[in-house]
């Protein structure tokens, strides 16, 4: 009986403000995805997998994120909860899995937030060389913290406008790059024209294996779309806004990412598409856009702030969920009068600062482990979403539910969630062959095992305390 009491879950959204509109959710997901992974490190995929291989890798990534998002859509529309995929994993895959998913996702964003503040401070030094990095990092941290603490509405509006800057930049890049490919711009110092980059070294100059090896980086670039599920718990009309947000976001992301990679692969030689400089800056400078570096410096700065903003939102909601489920002190589940989990936001920000300090004090040990775990976490979370959808559908039908009555349902079940799981597994297998990324498995798998271990240890202790409290109560009333 004590175990049943422990795992009983209250309504997780009874006090959250329902202030997010469809445009907020769409931009939250787009803003969470379009970031430094696209603006800075997209050239890595071109360099490693070759032009055609990079396009294929991002097409696979787009398919993978579509499969995962429709699975999340069915769950989020039927059960719009702030805990989202962590709550679904708890309910349909087991409380240990839900606990592990929540900590994996929280850690992912805690690590990311700290690095975003540092990178943003470094970018500001370009314009203000006489100021220290930490001052700018602190100012951005205060701004992001305030955006999250004051109200959900302020957070949503801030994220909307920050994301809009990034979206417009990507659209501009694709349009200008497409015009350059068609010969509408005179490009100097560019070896080759048209689609010659795709055949100059052969279709697959580095082989087929690098395509699989880059899938983890591609998956990480697409991470953030799952924020739709978390935001569903604070949406005004989740049954309408969530399906629309998922369809709109997935289509736009596929066009943005695949279109961007195609332009990069077409205009930049594979050897130059590395990590030294933003590939966006390189293309703009080749075309002759004035002040390219400053323009992209501003855009990347907004991308960093936006990622930190949405990351703090996501991380705090995961802590709130853990507290609501009884895994953490109840104070982290308390909400302010404006409906924000202030204590969870404070602790998440503290985790980001701790991650930031580890990057300075222990970059080759602690920070390396944190980054490696967070890199693997996204595909693990996505696998849990697909697996939860399978378990939900089975239970729903077994209890007499009709699939036709679902407001949003996965078409092509069970092949869609199975396909999502297989794509995620392919990404995990691919990194096993890359010595530079293999460390994600070395740290990530033990961390997952540790989360399960901690859950079961604390679960048993909690059950013992509940049993003791029940026995004391019984003896006192006898």
């Amino acid at each position: 009986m004590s175990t049943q009491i422990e795992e009983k879950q209250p309504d997780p959204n009874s006090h959250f403000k329902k202030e997010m509109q469809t445009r907020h959710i769409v931009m939250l997901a787009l803003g969470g995805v379009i970031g430094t992974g696209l603006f800075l490190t997209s050239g890595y995929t071109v360099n490693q997998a070759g032009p055609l291989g990079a396009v294929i890798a991002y097409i696979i990534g787009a398919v993978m994120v579509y499969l995962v998002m429709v699975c999340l859509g069915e769950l989020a529309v039927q059960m719009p909860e702030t805990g989202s995929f962590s709550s679904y994993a708890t309910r349909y895959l087991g409380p240990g899995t839900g606990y592990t998913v929540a900590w994996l996702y929280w850690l992912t964003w805690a690590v990311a937030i700290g690095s975003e503040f540092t990178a943003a401070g470094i970018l500001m030094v370009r314009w203000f060389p006489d100021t220290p990095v930490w001052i700018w990092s602190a100012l951005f941290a205060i701004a992001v913290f305030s955006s999250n603490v004051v109200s959900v509405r302020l957070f949503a509006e801030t994220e909307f406008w920050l994301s809009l800057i990034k979206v417009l930049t990507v659209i501009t890049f694709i349009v200008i790059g497409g015009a350059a490919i068609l010969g509408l711009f005179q490009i100097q110092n560019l070896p080759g024209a048209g689609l010659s980059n795709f055949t100059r070294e052969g279709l697959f100059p580095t082989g087929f294996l690098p395509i699989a090896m880059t899938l983890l980086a591609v998956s990480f670039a697409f991470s953030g779309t799952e924020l739709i599920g978390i935001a569903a718990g604070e949406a005004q009309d989740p049954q309408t806004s969530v399906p629309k947000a998922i369809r709109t976001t997935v289509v736009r992301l596929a066009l943005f990412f695949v279109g961007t990679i195609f332009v990069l692969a077409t205009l930049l030689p594979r050897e130059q598409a590395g990590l030294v400089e933003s590939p966006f800056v390189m293309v703009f400078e080749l075309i002759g856009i004035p002040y390219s570096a400053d323009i992209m410096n501003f855009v990347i700065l907004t991308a960093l702030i936006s990622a930190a903003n949405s990351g703090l939102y996501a991380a705090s909601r995961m802590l709130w969920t853990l507290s609501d489920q009884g895994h953490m002190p109840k104070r982290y589940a308390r909400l302010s009068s404006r409906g924000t989990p202030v204590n969870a936001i404070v602790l998440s920000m503290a985790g980001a600062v701790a991650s930031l300090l580890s990057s300075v004090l222990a970059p080759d040990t602690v920070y390396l482990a944190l980054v490696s775990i967070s890199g693997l976490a996204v595909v693990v979370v996505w696998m849990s979403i697909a697996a939860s959808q399978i378990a939900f559908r089975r239970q729903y039908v077994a209890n007499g539910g009709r699939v036709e009555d679902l407001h949003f349902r996965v078409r092509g079940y069970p092949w869609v969630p199975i396909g999502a799981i297989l794509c995620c597994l392919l990404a995990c297998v691919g990194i096993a062959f890359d010595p530079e990324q293999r460390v994600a498995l070395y740290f990530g798998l033990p961390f997952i095992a540790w989360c399960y271990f901690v859950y079961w240890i604390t679960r048993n202790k909690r059950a013992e305390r509940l049993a003791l409290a029940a026995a004391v109560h019984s003896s006192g009333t006898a």
Side-chain angles (χ1 to χ4, degrees), residues 231-375:
E234 297 171 75
Q236 292 179 349
D237 183 12
Q239 291 188 349
T240 300
S241 60
V242 172
K244 184 177 180 180
I246 287 177
R247 295 188 185 99
T248 304
T249 302
V250 171
V251 171
R252 289 177 181 175
L253 284 178
L255 293 175
F256 290 165
F257 273 77
V258 176
T260 297
I261 291 299
F262 178 78
V263 171
L264 291 178
T266 304
L267 296 180
L268 290 182
R270 183 184 64 83
E271 310 91 286
Q272 297 181 19
L275 299 176
V276 178
E277 184 180 17
S278 168
F280 278 65
V281 174
M282 295 177 67
V283 170
F284 280 148
E285 288 181 342
L286 284 171
I287 295 173
I289 303 296
Y291 306 106
S292 300
D294 285 319
I295 292 172
M296 285 310 303
N297 199 61
F298 171 75
V299 173
I300 294 171
L301 181 65
T302 62
L304 292 167
I305 299 172
S306 170
N309 196 40
S310 58
L312 185 58
Y313 171 83
S316 64
R317 269 51 179 184
M318 283 297 106
L319 284 188
W320 180 90
T321 301
L322 287 167
S323 178
D324 186 64
Q325 294 176 349
H327 302 302
M328 293 184 66
K330 280 297 179 184
R331 62 176 175 273
Y332 295 109
R334 293 174 189 158
L335 303 178
S336 69
S337 59
R338 293 178 176 269
T340 59
V342 176
N343 291 331
I345 293 173
V346 171
L347 185 57
S348 296
M349 182 64 82
V353 173
S355 171
L356 175 59
L357 291 176
S358 72
S359 68
V360 177
L361 301 176
D364 298 325
T365 53
V366 177
Y367 188 68
L368 176 63
L370 294 176
V371 171
S372 301
I373 293 168
S374 64

Side-chain angles (χ1 to χ4, degrees), residues 61-315:
V63 171
M64 178 164 51
V65 76
Y66 169 76
L67 298 177
V68 172
M69 284 304 102
V70 293
C71 291
L72 180 59
E74 179 171 301
L75 295 166
V77 172
Q78 191 70 13
M79 300 163 288
E81 301 179 5
T82 298
S84 190
F85 36 83
S86 172
S87 297
Y88 308 144
T90 297
R91 190 171 304 156
Y92 298 108
L93 303 179
T97 301
Y99 176 86
T100 301
V101 165
W103 278 118
L104 279 170
Y105 200 66
W106 181 86
L107 181 64
T108 296
W109 282 114
V111 173
I113 294 168
S115 61
E116 312 288 6
F117 290 146
T118 302
I122 292 173
L123 290 180
M124 289 301 294
V125 172
R126 172 187 174 88
W127 293 320
F128 303 95
D130 296 329
T131 57
V133 172
W134 71 266
I135 290 181
W136 294 111
S137 298
L139 289 174
F140 291 135
I142 293 171
V144 168
F145 180 80
S146 301
S147 170
N148 275 265
V149 165
V150 172
S151 70
V152 175
R153 179 77 180 190
L154 176 62
F155 160 78
E157 285 295 334
T158 302
E159 191 59 28
F160 176 85
W161 292 107
L162 288 173
S163 298
L164 185 61
I165 295 173
K166 295 186 289 186
V167 169
L168 293 177
T169 301
V170 173
I171 293 174
T172 301
F173 177 81
I174 293 174
V175 171
I176 294 178
I181 293 171
L182 295 175
L184 300 182
F185 291 104
Q186 185 67 32
I187 304 178
Q188 298 179 348
N189 302 321
L190 188 65
L195 302 178
S196 61
N197 274 347
F198 288 87
T199 57
R200 183 170 55 89
E201 299 178 288
L203 292 179
F204 299 98
T206 59
F208 295 98
L209 185 58
I211 297 176
M213 290 166 55
T214 57
L215 279 180
L216 185 66
V218 172
S219 301
F220 194 75
F222 275 109
S223 64
T225 47
E226 66 283 339
L227 286 169
I228 292 175
I230 298 175
E234 297 171 75
Q236 292 179 349
D237 183 12
Q239 291 188 349
T240 300
S241 60
V242 172
K244 184 177 180 180
I246 287 177
R247 295 188 185 99
T248 304
T249 302
V250 171
V251 171
R252 289 177 181 175
L253 284 178
L255 293 175
F256 290 165
F257 273 77
V258 176
T260 297
I261 291 299
F262 178 78
V263 171
L264 291 178
T266 304
L267 296 180
L268 290 182
R270 183 184 64 83
E271 310 91 286
Q272 297 181 19
L275 299 176
V276 178
E277 184 180 17
S278 168
F280 278 65
V281 174
M282 295 177 67
V283 170
F284 280 148
E285 288 181 342
L286 284 171
I287 295 173
I289 303 296
Y291 306 106
S292 300
D294 285 319
I295 292 172
M296 285 310 303
N297 199 61
F298 171 75
V299 173
I300 294 171
L301 181 65
T302 62
L304 292 167
I305 299 172
S306 170
N309 196 40
S310 58
L312 185 58
Y313 171 83

Side-chain angles (χ1 to χ4, degrees), residues 71 386 389-390 393-394 410-421:
C71 291
Q389 191 275 328
I390 293 175
R393 180 71 73 88
R394 287 176 177 173
V410 173
R411 302 181 186 277
Y413 174 89
W415 303 114
V416 166
I418 290 175
I421 293 173

